[in-house]
Amino acid sequence: MNLRNQRRMAAQILKCGVNRVWINPERKEDVVDAVTRSDIRTMINAGAIAARNPKGISKARHIYNRGQKKSGRRRGAGSRRGGKYARTPRKRLWIQRIRPIRAMLKELRDTGKIDTKVYRDFYMQAKGGSFKSKSHLETQLKLQGYVKEEQ
């Protein structure tokens, strides 16, 4: 049974591709007799011919991978594009380091734990990059005897 013509006409009527046209295997004999477009329309209304649903693209893989990235995975050396300082510029790293240090110095000065001269001295050291972190600044202040150790 050659149903090429019927399939083509059904595709035009259903406004879909030829491969999406579904012909009921039990009603093939009736479809063979349908030779005009109106016959095909009748077959469509009767349910002997229908359009299959279009195939979609599954999002499951994408959703899974997004979850993995959210929990810190899939960020190894093979996934990286750009150099170390292209991903986080040196300036951004500097800002992240200096802001807490300066905030801590201001707080110590305002609460009276250090005087203005010590504040200025340590501020300039921080500006010169002497301290790696807030905790490093804290240890230096304690070592030099400007801030007392808390129990």
Side-chain angles (χ1 to χ4, degrees):
M1 271 182 263
N2 190 358
L3 299 171
R4 188 181 287 170
N5 237 359
Q6 285 83 343
R7 192 176 284 276
R8 179 186 54 77
M9 285 192 285
Q12 286 177 341
I13 294 164
L14 293 167
K15 292 184 176 69
C16 69
V18 178
N19 294 325
R20 268 185 57 205
V21 173
W22 173 81
I23 298 169
N24 191 339
E26 284 134 33
R27 308 261 318 262
K28 267 188 183 174
E29 290 78 26
D30 301 338
V31 177
V32 169
D33 298 335
V35 287
T36 64
R37 292 170 82 84
S38 62
D39 292 342
I40 297 291
R41 274 193 206 94
T42 312
M43 288 289 157
I44 290 167
N45 293 334
I49 300 173
R52 285 197 191 100
N53 289 331
K55 283 195 178 117
I57 299 165
S58 173
K59 244 183 151 183
R61 210 174 301 106
H62 169 71
I63 292 165
Y64 173 78
N65 289 343
R66 196 171 52 200
Q68 289 278 290
K69 279 189 177 179
K70 202 172 182 182
S71 55
R73 293 181 182 86
R74 303 179 72 90
R75 296 198 187 274
S79 304
R80 292 180 203 156
R81 307 268 283 143
K84 181 180 178 182
Y85 298 112
R87 289 164 66 85
T88 23
R90 287 177 173 92
K91 185 171 182 176
R92 173 57 43 200
L93 292 169
W94 168 254
I95 291 167
Q96 286 171 348
R97 191 164 66 243
I98 199 70
R99 280 182 182 169
I101 291 171
R102 285 179 176 166
M104 185 183 173
L105 282 169
K106 283 186 190 94
E107 189 192 323
L108 290 170
R109 181 195 61 192
D110 294 342
T111 53
K113 289 184 180 173
I114 57 170
D115 63 342
T116 321
K117 191 175 182 304
V118 174
Y119 167 79
R120 182 57 33 202
D121 184 38
F122 274 86
Y123 189 96
M124 295 313 282
Q125 282 182 44
K127 185 181 179 180
S130 293
F131 310 114
K132 292 184 287 192
S133 62
K134 204 167 91 168
S135 58
H136 186 218
L137 167 69
E138 206 170 2
T139 53
Q140 288 304 311
L141 283 164
K142 284 174 185 172
L143 276 172
Q144 294 178 30
Y146 293 115
V147 176
K148 289 162 192 75
E149 299 244 6
E150 295 171 22
Q151 269 92 18

